[in-house]
């Protein structure tokens, strides 16, 4: 459920620090500076996103972690040990790597692609293939694809293979370089949700590079916003980033509707739902009259199972003769508790009556709520959010 | 028709014997060229500045007439098969080096980066990733080099009957038997076509991972195969 369109982006737990980037600079022979005195503490067992415009040094930073690029100055510590003191191929085999367009070996079958690192580590063929088959299942690939070649798979499937290949030797660290930016938005959303699900199961330390701030906010436990010239603009949890951008650059990069997007981090559980304006389709005249006095300008009509049919003005309802086709549309309901305030607000804004319909996981109406009530909840959440953010910031430090 | 295969005794070979000789003189140089071209091409990939001069040198070698080669080599290797094969090996480089360089360079950047990131050292990456992916390009080069080599062997007749099937051309002249010239030309052409087909077969067997159609491994939609008339239409459009 984590990460699906409207649901609340949970604050994921942060453990220790696994990767410490300590005032690292990368200067190329021609004088260009890709990364400029960057310091970052990448927390254990969580997703840290490096985000920024092209040329901000985010990919260079990622590649310095597995030494595909060597820093000019500064050190990078992995679990307390300087990566530059470690044998390079062994270091790389201990980190999964996922790249844009997957970068699969086109001359090897899917199962052999996934088994690459285990084979490099000297596993026997049988064990490596068994492990590959297990991972195909984990990333949602059908077992029948095992003996296919990469060209026979769609872009999204290839990217799943890329993720499976990176996970094959069960490395503690996963480096992901714009892995989902070459697939279409629908597939990308699926891959993001899948990544969050896998992360919930496996708890890897993931460093994720993207230029897409929405992706960063959705996936990141911590988000590092970088600016052109390879400097860190802000390093914060996504909710804090949205509420407290460090400067004009970050604010600009976040885009115009950051206030709305921030609502994704607030649960709808606290909304007070009204059940009085809800009537069943077979309601009697007395029931309708009783609902009428509840103070809501509209009544929500449900079918006999409790699923929403539509809105009506109380005076337009005749007992025994409710015609669903004459009701006002109810829009897309939100799932009370699971969905965020953003989903609830969206629902109210889209509803012709200005009221949002709350349902349970089975789609049955649990109540209705007005725009005013949602706005009140948002004000309350912001007040709470400020207190939480302060506490979070302390905890991370 | 009997006279067609009646090979004059001065050639000291039967018709089939000449074919064997011809194949040996044509294919060994291509093999030697490949062995030489592989490391040369790898150097060109690794040090980009080396590629233009290497290409220039192989082209200049290709421009030297084989007769000139023979005049120089004959002092060292005499009137032997080797004198014929050395120029042929050198000629094959002009096709093979660029074919291998282009093939190795055609490996996508992401694939190379992924290989490096998974802990492939340079040698392993070359042998297990770059070279296999370059196989189609390398075989395309081998096809041109092989066919050209099979046709060029004939000039060996100029240095004392070292031209295998080409020697028949000389005999056709001195014995006034034109059917021997036909035999030489037709047999050489058939050998070239068969060698080419064999290389295509090798490629099909080595690259089950190639998406292109017409392999029978996976039925491709009809739209992928050009209509027979399509090339003709293209020509008309030019």
């Amino acid at each position: 459920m984590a990460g699906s369109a409207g649901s609340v982006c949970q604050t994921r737990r942060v453990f220790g620090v696994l990767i410490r980037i300590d005032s690292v600079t990368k200067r190329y022979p021609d004088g260009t500076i890709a990364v400029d005195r960057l310091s970052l503490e990448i927390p254990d067992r969580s997703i840290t996103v490096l985000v920024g415009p092209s040329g901000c040094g985010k990919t260079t930073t990622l590649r310095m972690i597995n030494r595909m690029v060597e820093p000019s100055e500064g050190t990078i510590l992995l679990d307390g040990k300087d990566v530059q003191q470690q044998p390079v191929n062994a270091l790389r085999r201990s980190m999964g790597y996922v790249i844009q367009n997957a970068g699969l070996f086109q001359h090897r079958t899917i199962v052999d692609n996934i088994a690459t690192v285990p084979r490099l580590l000297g596993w026997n063929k049988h064990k490596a293939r068994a492990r590959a088959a297990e991972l195909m299942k984990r990333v949602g690939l059908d077992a029948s694809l095992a003996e296919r070649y990469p060209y026979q798979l769609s872009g999204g499937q290839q990217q799943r293979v890329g993720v499976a290949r990176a996970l094959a030797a069960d490395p503690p660290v996963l480096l992901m370089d714009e892995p989902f930016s070459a697939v279409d938005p629908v597939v990308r959303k699926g891959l993001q949700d899948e990544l969050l699900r896998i992360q919930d199961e496996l708890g890897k330390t993931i460093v994720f590079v993207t230029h897409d701030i929405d992706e960063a906010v959705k996936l990141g436990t911590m988000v590092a916003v970088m600016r052109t010239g390879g400097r860190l603009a802000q390093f914060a949890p996504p909710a804090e980033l949205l509420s407290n951008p460090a400067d004009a650059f970050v604010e600009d990069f976040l885009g115009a509707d950051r206030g709305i997007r921030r609502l994704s981090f607030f649960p709808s559980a606290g909304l007070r739902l009204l059940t009085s304006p809800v009537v069943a389709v077979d309601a009697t005249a007395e029931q309708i009259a009783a609902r009428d006095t509840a103070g809501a300008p509209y009544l929500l009509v449900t079918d006999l199972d409790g699923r929403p049919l539509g809105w009506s003005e109380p005076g337009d309802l005749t007992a025994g003769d409710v015609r669903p086709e004459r009701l006002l549309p109810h829009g897309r309901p939100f799932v009370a508790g699971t969905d965020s305030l953003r989903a609830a607000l969206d629902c109210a804004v889209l509803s012709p009556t200005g009221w949002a319909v709350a349902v349970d996981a089975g789609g049955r109406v649990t109540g209705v709520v007005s725009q005013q009530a949602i706005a009140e909840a948002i004000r309350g959440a912001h007040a709470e959010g400020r207190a939480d953010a302060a506490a979070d910031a302390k905890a991370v430090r | 028709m009997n006279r067609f295969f009646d090979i004059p005794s001065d050639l000291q070979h039967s018709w089939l014997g000449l074919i064997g000789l011809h194949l040996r003189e044509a294919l060994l140089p291509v093999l030697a060229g490949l062995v030489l071209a592989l490391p040369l091409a790898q150097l060109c990939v690794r040090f980009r500045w080396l590629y233009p001069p290497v290409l220039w040198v192989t082209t200049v070698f290709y421009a030297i007439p084989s007769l000139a080669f023979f005049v120089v080599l004959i002092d060292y290797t005499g009137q032997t098969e080797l004198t014929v094969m050395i120029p042929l090996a050198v000629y094959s480089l002009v096709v093979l080096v660029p074919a291998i360089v282009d093939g190795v360079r055609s490996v996508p950047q992401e694939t190379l980066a992924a290989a490096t990131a998974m802990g492939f050292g340079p040698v392993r990456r070359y042998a297990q990733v770059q070279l296999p992916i370059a196989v189609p390009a390398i075989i395309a080069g081998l096809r041109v080099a092989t066919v050209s080599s099979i046709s060029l062997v004939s000039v060996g007749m100029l240095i004392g009957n070292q031209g295998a099937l080409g020697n028949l051309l000389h005999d056709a002249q001195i014995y006034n038997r034109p059917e021997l010239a036909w035999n030489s030309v037709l047999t050489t052409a058939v050998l070239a076509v068969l060698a080419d087909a064999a290389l295509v077969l090798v490629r099909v067997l080595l690259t089950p991972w190639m998406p292109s159609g017409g392999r029978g491994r996976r039925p491709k939609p009809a739209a992928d195969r050009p209509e027979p008339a399509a090339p003709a239409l293209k020509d008309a459009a030019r």
Side-chain angles (χ1 to χ4, degrees), chain A residues 63 68 89 92-93 97 99-101 103-108 116-117 120 149 151-152 165, chain B residues 108 110-111 113-121 124 128-129 132-133 208-211 218:
Chain A
R63 290 185 170 196
M68 286 170 78
N89 285 334
R92 288 175 185 162
R93 287 169 201 169
Y97 191 87
I99 197 170
Q100 189 176 356
N101 294 323
L104 299 183
F105 295 150
Q106 51 183 297
H107 60 298
R108 292 192 182 167
T116 303
V117 180
L120 286 176
Y149 287 96
Y151 80 92
Q152 294 167 309
R165 185 174 65 173
Chain B
E110 297 98 10
T111 307
T116 306
M118 283 189 289
F120 280 71
R124 195 194 288 267
Q128 294 186 4
V129 180
I133 293 178
W209 47 271
M210 286 251 309
R218 197 173 72 131

Side-chain angles (χ1 to χ4, degrees), chain B residues 114-186:
Chain B
T116 306
M118 283 189 289
F120 280 71
V123 175
R124 195 194 288 267
R125 193 177 79 162
Y126 178 69
Q128 294 186 4
V129 180
Q130 288 175 299
L131 212 50
I133 293 178
V135 158
I138 294 174
I139 291 190
L142 277 177
R143 287 172 63 185
V144 177
T146 303
V147 169
S148 132
S149 190
I150 286 175
S151 95
L152 284 175
V153 162
S154 305
V155 296
M157 123 199 137
L158 294 173
I159 55 161
N161 283 351
Q162 293 300 344
L165 288 165
N167 299 340
L168 289 172
L169 295 171
H170 184 61
D171 278 16
Q173 217 170 14
I174 57 174
Y175 299 122
N176 193 21
R177 284 177 55 191
E179 74 275 9
L180 290 181
W182 280 110
N183 183 332
S184 170
V185 169
L186 289 176

Side-chain angles (χ1 to χ4, degrees), chain B residues 35-46:
Chain B
V35 169
L36 208 62
L38 279 170
L40 203 57
Q42 187 50 21
L43 283 175
C44 291
V45 170
R46 211 157 164 137

Side-chain angles (χ1 to χ4, degrees), chain A residues 37-357:
Chain A
R37 284 163 293 160
L38 178 76
S39 291
L40 271 185
E41 291 184 347
I42 292 168
D44 200 4
R45 279 176 273 177
S46 55
I47 303 179
T48 299
V49 181
L50 307 179
V51 65
S54 53
C56 72
K58 51 193 191 293
T59 294
T60 308
T61 305
L62 188 81
R63 290 185 170 196
M64 285 194 285
I65 297 174
N66 73 351
R67 294 185 58 193
M68 286 170 78
V69 175
E70 300 283 8
S72 314
E73 286 160 30
T75 51
I76 296 176
L77 302 179
L78 171 70
D79 213 5
K81 282 174 284 189
D82 188 346
V83 293
Q84 286 186 282
Q85 306 298 323
Q86 301 179 35
V88 68
N89 285 334
L91 177 80
R92 288 175 185 162
R93 287 169 201 169
S94 75
M95 298 183 183
Y97 191 87
V98 188
I99 197 170
Q100 189 176 356
N101 294 323
L104 299 183
F105 295 150
Q106 51 183 297
H107 60 298
R108 292 192 182 167
T109 59
I110 299 310
V111 66
D112 285 339
N113 261 284
I114 299 173
T116 303
V117 180
R119 293 288 285 155
L120 286 176
L121 291 172
W123 297 21
N124 70 48
K125 195 162 188 166
H126 184 75
K127 190 178 160 203
R129 288 184 140 235
R131 171 74 178 152
E134 181 192 325
L135 277 161
M136 286 185 69
K137 206 188 278 173
R138 170 145 265 152
V139 301
L141 285 170
D142 197 87
S144 66
L145 299 176
E147 299 300 331
R148 299 265 181 93
Y149 287 96
Y151 80 92
Q152 294 167 309
L153 269 58
S154 70
Q157 287 172 323
Q158 290 192 20
Q159 205 50 265
R160 280 169 200 265
V161 177
V163 173
R165 185 174 65 173
L167 289 170
D170 203 20
V173 176
L174 215 55
L175 306 177
M176 308 184 80
D177 187 3
E178 306 216 17
F180 307 147
S181 52
V183 292
D184 68 69
V186 176
V187 175
R188 187 183 315 147
K189 191 189 160 298
L191 289 168
Q192 290 167 346
D193 292 344
E194 197 86 342
L195 178 68
L196 288 171
R197 182 184 63 72
I198 293 170
Q199 173 64 357
D200 277 349
E201 291 170 17
L202 301 180
K204 299 289 179 191
T205 301
I206 300 179
V207 187
F208 190 107
V209 164
T210 179
H211 59 259
D212 176 358
I213 185 68
D214 288 318
E215 188 167 65
V217 165
K218 176 173 177 180
L219 297 178
T221 314
M222 292 293 284
V223 177
V225 183
M226 295 179 69
R227 69 171 89 219
T228 318
R231 265 172 300 164
L232 182 66
Q234 188 169 7
F235 187 45
E240 191 191 326
L241 205 65
L242 289 167
S243 62
N244 260 330
D247 57 21
F249 169 80
V250 178
E251 186 164 7
D252 195 41
F253 192 70
L254 287 168
D257 53 349
R258 68 181 168 90
I260 300 287
R261 278 188 285 157
R262 200 181 148 221
L263 295 178
S264 311
F265 293 92
F266 301 125
S268 60
L271 286 175
R272 268 186 301 123
L273 304 176
L274 293 180
T275 48
S276 46
V278 182
V279 292
V281 72
D282 61 347
T284 60
E286 294 81 52
Q287 279 171 324
I288 292 171
R291 298 299 192 217
D292 192 10
T293 58
Y298 295 93
L299 293 183
L300 180 73
V301 181
T302 68
D303 66 13
L304 297 174
D305 285 335
R307 284 170 225 284
L309 287 174
W311 293 96
S312 170
E313 286 189 43
D316 291 351
L317 275 185
T318 321
D321 186 29
V322 178
R323 280 182 236 158
E325 68 275 11
R326 291 177 60 182
L327 298 170
L328 293 169
H330 59 75
R332 189 172 143 168
F334 69 98
V335 181
T338 315
D339 279 350
S340 65
L341 279 184
R342 184 180 178 177
L345 181 65
D346 192 56
C347 179
V349 170
L350 288 179
S351 161
T353 62
W355 285 64
V357 178

Side-chain angles (χ1 to χ4, degrees), chain B residues 73-129:
Chain B
L73 285 172
I74 222 156
D75 284 346
Y76 303 93
T77 50
Q79 294 186 331
T80 60
E81 281 177 33
L82 198 60
T83 307
V84 182
M85 292 198 285
I86 289 173
L88 292 182
V90 171
Y91 291 157
S92 73
L93 293 180
V94 80
V95 185
L96 292 177
V97 170
I100 300 170
V101 170
D102 291 347
V104 170
R105 278 190 186 165
S106 74
V107 179
Q109 277 306 312
E110 297 98 10
T111 307
L112 290 180
T116 306
M118 283 189 289
F120 280 71
V123 175
R124 195 194 288 267
R125 193 177 79 162
Y126 178 69
Q128 294 186 4
V129 180

